[in-house]
C-alpha cells in the first residue's frame, strides 16, 4: 500500500473506532486487505493505486452514520465489477448481507452503463430502469453507497478529461442530487450540487460566488446585530437555543435566480439565521417571539413541522423585516429535525441493529419514518411482486421515488430529469438552447412525436434539427419549464418575433407587479 493510502487506511479506522465494535473494526481491516489485493495493479485516473477510492467511499459512509455492512460494502463496492472477485467469495468472507449490497451497487452501475450504450434502446431501457428500481427497492443502503461513490468521484473529477467531467457532473445534478434529496440527505445533496455545478458551468459558478461574497460582506454586520437582538430576547424567555448563520449554496442561488428573472435583490434568504431548540413546542414559541420583534412577510411563513416536506424535512421558516429595513429569513427547528435535515435517512442506520430495509421499515413504520416517505414501502411491495414474477403494470413500476419527475434519455443514453408533463421542447432546451433553437421535429422511441404531446418516463428522445429552422411564437405554448420558457423568450426577442406581444404582456406584468408591490408595502407598514 502506498504511503498516502496507508494514511487513508489509518484515518478510516480511527474515524470508525467510536461507532463499531472491536470485531467489526477487525472486519473493516479484513475487507481493506481483501480489496487491496483484488485491485492490485489498478490505478485511478489521478495515478493513485485504485484502493484509495474504496477507502474514501468507506470513510464517507462512516461519516454519514451508516451501519457496518454498508461500510464493508463500500470498501468492496468495485471488486465484482472491476476485478476477478466473485459474488460467492464476498459472501463466504463477509456474509450474505454484504454480498447482497455489493451486488446491488454493481447492478446499479451496470444498469446505468447499459443505458449509455443502447443500440436498440427501448426495451432495454425499461429493463434497465426496472433493474435500477429493484436494486434500490431491495435495500435503500445500495443507493446510499452509490451516493458516497458518486461524491468521491466528483471530488476527484479534475483528473478526468473535460468531456467526461461534463457528463458526470450533469448526471450528478440530474440523478444523484435528486436521489439524495429524496432520502432527506440535505448536506450530501448540497455537496453534490456544488461540485457538479462548478464543473458544469465554471463561469457562472465563479460569477455567482463573487456576487454572493459581495452581497454577504454588506449584510453580515447588520445580520450580526439582528442575531444579538434575537439572542437577548430568547434568553429573556428562558428558552434553550443555539443560533447559526447559514449561507445559501451557489447552485441553489443559481436555480432561484432563474425563477426571479436574475435579480439578486429578489432573493431574501442569501443568508439565513437558524435557531435550534430542544423541543417542538419551543419552535412555535420562537416563531411567536420573532414575530413580535419584527414584521413577518405573511406569504413566506412556512410550517414544515406540521406538514413536513415529502422527503421528511421539518422546520419552521419565516422571513421578517427589521426596523432598519433588512430582510432576514429564519429557520427554526429542534436538534433532531436539524440532524435529519442534514443527514436524512442515513442517520437512522447508525447503531441500528436492523439488517435490511424491510426490517428497518417494519421497525420504523409506527415511529419515526415520516408519513410522506411511504414511497419506500411502496417500492418494497413492487419489489416483492417482481421477485414473485407477478405481473405488474407500468404504473406500479413508476414508483414515486420521484413523485413529480420523469427520467428521459438522449439517443446516446444520457439521462435527463424533467417535471412530469414536460413536452419535447422542454427536453430540447435542457440539452442545449442552441440545439433547441433549430428544432424541426422530434422522434420519441423511434417514432415521430408531436410538439404538444407530453413525454413519459423512460422515453428516448431524438431532436431533429434543420439549420434554417427557427423558434416560433407558437412554441411558447409548448414549453412548461421555466428554463425552456426563458431561453425561448430570449431567442424570440433576438429574432424579433415577440415585439408586439411583449408590449401587451409587459403591460399586464407591470400591472401585476404593481399590485404585488402594494401588497408588500402593506406588509411593511
Ligand atoms: Mn466506485
Amino acid at each position: 500500500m502506498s504511503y498516502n493510502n496507508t494514511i487513508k487506511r489509518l484515518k478510516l479506522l480511527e474515524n470508525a473506532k467510536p461507532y463499531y465494535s472491536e470485531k467489526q473494526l477487525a472486519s473493516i481491516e479484513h475487507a481493506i486487505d481483501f480489496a487491496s489485493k483484488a485491485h492490485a495493479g489498478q490505478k485511478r485516473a489521478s495515478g493513485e493505486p485504485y484502493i484509495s477510492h474504496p477507502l474514501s467511499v468507506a470513510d464517507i459512509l462512516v461519516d454519514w452514520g451508516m451501519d457496518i455492512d454498508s461500510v464493508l460494502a463500500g470498501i468492496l463496492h468495485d471488486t465484482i465489477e472491476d476485478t476477478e472477485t466473485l459474488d460467492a467469495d464476498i459472501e463466504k468472507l463477509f456474509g450474505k448481507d454484504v454480498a447482497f449490497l455489493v451486488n446491488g451497487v454493481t447492478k446499479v452501475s451496470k444498469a446505468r452503463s447499459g443505458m449509455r450504450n443502447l443500440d436498440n434502446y427501448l426495451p432495454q431501457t425499461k429493463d434497465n430502469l426496472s433493474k435500477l428500481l429493484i436494486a434500490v427497492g431491495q435495500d435503500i443502503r445500495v443507493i446510499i453507497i452509490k451516493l458516497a461513490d458518486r461524491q468521491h468521484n466528483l471530488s476527484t473529477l479534475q483528473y478526468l478529461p473535460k468531456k467526461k467531467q461534463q457528463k458526470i457532473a450533469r448526471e450528478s445534478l440530474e440523478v444523484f442530487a435528486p436521489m439524495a434529496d429524496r432520502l432527506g440527505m440535505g448536506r450530501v445533496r448540497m455537496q453534490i450540487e456544488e461540485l457538479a455545478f462548478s464543473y458544469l458551468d465554471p463561469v457562472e459558478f465563479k460569477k455567482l460566488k463573487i456576487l454572493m461574497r459581495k452581497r454577504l460582506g454588506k449584510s453580515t454586520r447588520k445580520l450580526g446585530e439582528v442575531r444579538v437582538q434575537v439572542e437577548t430576547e430568547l434568553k429573556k424567555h428562558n428558552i434553550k437555543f443555539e443560533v447559526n448563520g447559514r449561507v445559501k449554496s451557489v447552485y441553489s442561488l443559481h436555480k432561484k435566480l432563474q425563477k426571479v428573472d436574475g435579480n439578486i435583490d429578489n432573493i431574501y434568504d442569501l443568508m439565513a439565521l437558524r435557531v435550534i431548540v430542544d423541543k417542538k413546542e419551543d419552535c412555535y414559541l420562537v416563531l411567536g417571539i420573532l414575530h413580535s420583534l419584527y414584521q413577518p412577510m405573511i406569504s413566506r411563513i412556512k410550517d414544515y413541522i406540521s406538514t413536513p416536506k415529502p422527503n421528511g424535512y421539518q422546520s419552521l421558516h419565516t422571513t421578517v423585516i427589521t426596523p432598519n429595513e433588512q430582510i432576514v429569513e429564519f429557520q427554526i427547528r429542534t436538534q433532531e429535525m436539524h440532524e435529519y435535515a442534514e443527514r436524512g435517512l442515513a442517520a437512522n442506520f447508525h447503531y441500528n441493529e436492523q439488517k435490511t430495509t424491510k426490517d428497518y421499515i417494519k421497525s420504523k413504520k409506527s415511529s419515526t419514518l415520516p408519513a410522506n416517505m411511504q414511497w419506500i414501502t411502496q417500492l418494497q411491495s413492487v419489489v416483492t411482486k417482481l421477485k414473485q414474477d407477478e405481473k405488474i403494470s407500468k404504473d406500479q413500476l413508476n414508483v414515486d421515488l420521484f413523485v413529480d419527475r420523469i427520467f428521459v434519455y438522449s439517443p446516446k443514453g444520457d439521462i435527463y430529469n424533467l417535471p412530469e408533463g414536460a413536452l419535447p421542447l422542454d427536453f430540447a432546451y435542457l440539452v442545449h438552447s442552441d440545439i433547441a433553437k433549430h428544432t424541426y421535429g422530434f422522434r420519441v422511441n423511434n417514432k415521430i412525436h408531436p410538439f404538444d404531446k407530453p413525454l413519459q418516463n423512460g422515453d428516448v428522445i431524438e431532436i431533429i434539427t434543420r439549420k434554417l429552422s427557427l423558434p416560433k411564437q407558437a412554441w411558447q405554448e409548448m414549453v412548461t419549464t421555466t428554463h425552456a420558457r426563458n431561453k425561448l423568450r430570449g431567442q424570440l426577442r433576438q429574432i424579433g418575433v415577440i415585439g408586439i406581444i411583449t408590449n401587451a404582456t409587459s403591460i399586464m406584468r407591470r400591472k401585476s407587479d404593481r399590485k404585488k408591490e402594494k401588497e408588500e408595502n402593506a406588509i411593511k407598514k
Side-chain angles (χ1 to χ4, degrees):
M1 211 179 253
S2 71
Y3 177 73
N4 274 347
N5 284 331
T6 309
I7 301 276
K8 251 190 185 178
R9 175 197 174 113
L10 288 172
K11 213 187 110 223
L12 167 61
L13 287 166
E14 196 178 295
N15 292 344
K17 210 167 182 182
Y19 305 113
Y20 310 95
S21 69
E22 287 292 320
K23 210 175 136 206
Q24 291 173 331
L25 289 168
S27 68
I28 291 181
E29 292 208 69
H30 183 193
I32 296 174
D33 291 337
F34 180 86
S36 303
K37 228 178 259 164
H39 288 294
Q42 295 176 344
K43 286 212 154 69
R44 292 279 287 175
S46 62
E48 275 191 279
Y50 197 87
I51 190 68
S52 78
H53 167 62
L55 283 176
S56 296
V57 171
D59 204 26
I60 292 172
L61 290 166
V62 169
D63 179 50
W64 288 355
M66 296 302 290
D67 63 325
I68 184 69
D69 285 348
S70 303
V71 175
L72 294 175
I75 298 168
L76 302 163
H77 81 273
D78 277 328
T79 54
I80 293 186
E81 199 179 359
D82 297 341
T83 77
E84 303 291 306
T85 308
L86 296 175
D87 210 354
D89 302 335
I90 293 182
E91 188 172 331
K92 205 165 64 200
L93 291 168
F94 302 99
K96 230 183 180 149
D97 284 345
V98 176
F100 175 80
L101 290 174
V102 176
N103 235 329
V105 174
T106 312
K107 252 193 246 166
V108 174
S109 47
K110 274 206 184 129
R112 303 191 48 68
S113 66
M115 284 174 199
R116 257 176 245 133
N117 318 304
L118 308 172
D119 286 329
N120 199 350
Y121 32 78
L122 185 58
Q124 238 169 323
T125 305
K126 289 222 170 102
D127 187 39
N128 284 326
L129 206 62
S130 48
K131 263 192 220 152
L132 189 71
L133 279 174
I134 294 167
V136 179
Q138 281 181 334
D139 202 314
I140 218 74
R141 292 177 300 177
V142 169
I143 280 307
I144 297 179
I145 296 167
K146 215 48 214 162
L147 284 170
D149 180 40
R150 179 50 60 118
Q151 177 153 321
H152 182 247
N153 283 336
L154 273 174
S155 71
T156 54
L157 212 53
Q158 73 261 38
Y159 302 107
L160 293 182
K162 258 232 161 79
K163 219 172 160 188
K164 216 159 179 195
Q165 286 180 352
Q166 294 279 317
K167 189 168 185 159
I168 291 178
R170 203 184 48 72
E171 196 185 60
S172 301
L173 280 180
E174 291 287 324
V175 182
F176 288 92
M179 268 186 189
D181 186 47
R182 260 292 171 252
L183 300 179
M185 301 170 72
R187 201 174 45 188
V188 177
R189 191 209 70 211
M190 196 185 94
Q191 285 166 348
I192 290 180
E193 284 175 349
E194 290 298 85
L195 267 167
F197 184 52
S198 74
Y199 279 96
L200 203 61
D201 197 343
V203 177
E204 182 74 1
F205 185 84
K206 240 177 235 154
K207 198 184 96 190
L208 289 181
K209 204 153 191 183
I210 291 167
L211 181 66
M212 190 134 92
R213 204 176 299 144
K214 267 195 203 146
R215 271 297 146 130
L216 288 176
K218 271 193 221 157
S219 56
T220 310
R221 201 178 52 84
K222 277 201 214 156
L223 202 66
E225 288 166 20
V226 175
R227 185 176 166 160
V228 171
Q229 209 166 21
V230 168
E231 286 178 340
T232 315
E233 201 62 25
L234 293 182
K235 271 182 206 146
K236 270 193 219 156
H237 286 80
N238 279 327
I239 297 172
K240 263 176 115 191
F241 69 91
E242 204 181 291
V243 181
N244 302 311
R246 92 96 180 82
V247 176
K248 202 172 187 61
S249 73
V250 176
Y251 182 68
S252 82
L253 173 62
H254 162 76
K255 275 214 322 216
K256 203 119 182 209
L257 278 174
Q258 288 186 320
K259 275 192 209 154
V260 295
D261 282 347
N263 188 352
I264 196 167
D265 290 330
N266 293 330
I267 292 177
Y268 302 136
D269 61 344
L270 217 49
M271 192 159 182
L273 287 176
R274 213 170 253 163
V275 185
I276 296 170
V277 293
D278 276 351
K279 297 183 302 251
K280 183 167 121 184
E281 302 84 80
D282 288 351
C283 295
Y284 291 98
L285 222 53
V286 170
L287 185 77
I289 292 166
L290 288 175
H291 286 181
S292 59
L293 264 181
Y294 309 114
Q295 182 65 55
M297 292 167 83
I298 303 296
S299 62
R300 292 179 57 90
I301 302 172
K302 304 238 165 67
D303 182 352
Y304 294 120
I305 292 180
S306 64
T307 316
K309 285 192 183 179
N311 65 3
Y313 172 89
Q314 288 189 299
S315 241
L316 297 176
H317 289 190
T318 185
T319 306
V320 302
I321 303 162
T322 69
N324 54 12
E325 303 247 296
Q326 216 193 342
I327 296 175
V328 184
E329 181 179 290
F330 284 90
Q331 301 173 348
I332 311 156
R333 51 177 82 149
T334 64
Q335 188 60 49
E336 205 173 281
M337 293 171 193
H338 182 58
E339 179 91 344
Y340 186 85
E342 296 273 300
R343 299 149 71 93
L345 205 61
N348 289 302
F349 286 100
H350 232 171
Y351 307 113
N352 218 347
E353 298 295 29
Q354 278 85 33
K355 283 278 158 87
T356 66
T357 316
K358 209 189 264 164
D359 293 338
Y360 171 72
I361 284 169
K362 242 186 253 155
S363 73
K364 294 275 172 179
K365 213 177 239 166
S366 51
S367 53
T368 53
L369 190 73
N372 286 317
M373 291 193 74
Q374 279 157 0
W375 57 268
I376 300 183
T377 0
Q378 211 180 327
L379 206 55
Q380 293 285 334
S381 79
V382 170
V383 171
T384 323
K385 280 184 184 163
L386 275 177
K387 271 205 230 152
Q388 292 160 358
D389 260 347
E390 268 179 51
K391 275 230 171 81
I392 47 166
S393 69
K394 198 178 165 244
D395 278 356
Q396 281 174 300
L397 241 187
N398 283 337
V399 178
D400 288 349
L401 182 53
F402 300 94
V403 187
D404 39 13
R405 311 291 297 182
I406 57 169
F407 290 89
V408 295
Y409 305 89
S410 76
K412 273 197 260 160
D414 289 340
I415 193 165
Y416 291 85
N417 172 354
L418 282 165
E420 206 168 82
L423 297 165
L425 275 172
D426 292 316
F427 170 78
Y429 279 98
L430 190 58
V431 173
H432 205 290
S433 49
D434 285 338
I435 296 175
K437 193 173 159 182
H438 297 296
T439 302
Y440 180 76
F442 294 98
R443 214 171 280 137
V444 172
N445 307 327
N446 262 333
K447 277 194 219 107
I448 295 292
H449 188 101
F451 280 57
D452 59 354
K453 189 175 164 196
L455 298 169
Q456 304 287 328
N457 223 346
D459 276 348
V460 180
I461 305 138
E462 187 187 338
I463 308 164
I464 307 163
T465 58
R466 293 274 157 90
K467 228 191 224 151
L468 292 176
S469 201
L470 284 174
K472 293 168 190 60
Q473 209 174 301
W475 284 12
Q476 288 183 303
E477 304 296 315
M478 294 184 275
V479 290
T480 70
T481 64
T482 321
H483 173 77
R485 193 166 293 130
N486 289 343
K487 293 280 179 193
L488 172 62
R489 205 178 286 150
Q491 291 172 347
L492 289 174
R493 215 169 280 144
Q494 217 175 25
I495 55 177
V497 175
I498 46 168
I500 312 155
I501 293 220
T502 314
N503 273 338
T505 45
S506 77
I507 289 166
M508 269 156 60
R509 191 167 324 127
R510 244 178 285 144
K511 267 190 187 163
S512 76
D513 277 355
R514 230 175 289 144
K515 206 176 145 213
K516 233 187 265 163
E517 236 168 73
K518 266 189 204 156
E519 280 171 11
E520 302 231 322
N521 281 337
I523 292 168
K524 277 188 199 171
K525 276 163 203 156

